[in-house]
Amino acid sequence: MEASVFAIEKIIGLAISNHLFLTYSSVDSSTLLLLCAANVSTEKLARAVVRHGLHNYVCHNMVSIVDKIREFADAVDGEDDCVIAMYGGLVEAPKILADIMESIVIVVFIDVDFDLTKLWVV
């Protein structure tokens, strides 16, 4: 199981690295590495899930997860995007939300025949 989680994280990192490299070709590699790391975190993936409303489709039977997801979603909805982009939020992102994004990414990656460019477009 850990190997597959590792592979998913690498695919997301590779897709973001590829996009950043193509978009910011004049930026040095250490800056690109920092940008990539900042965008492949649990918090960033969880924010993407909330921004697209996917957290509303989580099936679960634990009240604590509902509360954590609601608290995080409310915090994201009430934040100023400019501040969050640099400093992160005040509420810890539930890992289950990042797991949703990772699952979507891997399914799309398979569906586009392992093409990073097509993955990024989707």
Side-chain angles (χ1 to χ4, degrees):
M1 176 74 173
E2 280 191 35
S4 61
V5 171
F6 179 75
I8 292 168
E9 291 172 356
K10 290 298 179 189
I11 291 166
I12 293 171
L14 186 59
I16 289 176
S17 296
N18 186 55
H19 171 74
L20 292 172
F21 177 76
L22 294 174
T23 304
Y24 305 104
S25 57
S26 62
V27 175
D28 65 274
S29 60
S30 61
T31 302
L32 286 175
L33 183 62
L34 291 172
L35 285 170
C36 183
N39 285 289
V40 185
S41 68
T42 296
E43 183 176 338
K44 293 288 183 163
L45 297 175
R47 286 179 181 286
V49 167
V50 169
R51 297 280 182 194
H52 292 287
L54 300 173
H55 63 290
N56 295 313
Y57 301 100
V58 174
C59 295
H60 48 78
N61 58 3
M62 294 179 56
V63 176
S64 63
I65 291 175
V66 176
D67 293 340
K68 287 179 182 180
I69 291 172
R70 186 178 305 118
E71 180 184 14
F72 182 74
D74 290 345
V76 169
D77 289 341
E79 294 170 335
D80 179 8
D81 288 338
C82 296
V83 173
I84 298 314
M86 294 189 68
Y87 300 109
L90 299 175
V91 178
E92 184 176 344
K95 176 72 170 96
I96 190 171
L97 296 179
D99 293 344
I100 291 168
M101 183 57 69
E102 290 172 348
S103 298
I104 291 169
V105 168
I106 194 66
V107 169
V108 171
F109 189 58
I110 292 168
D111 194 52
V112 298
D113 294 324
F114 309 97
D115 185 321
L116 286 177
T117 305
K118 290 179 182 176
L119 172 64
W120 189 257
V121 169
V122 174

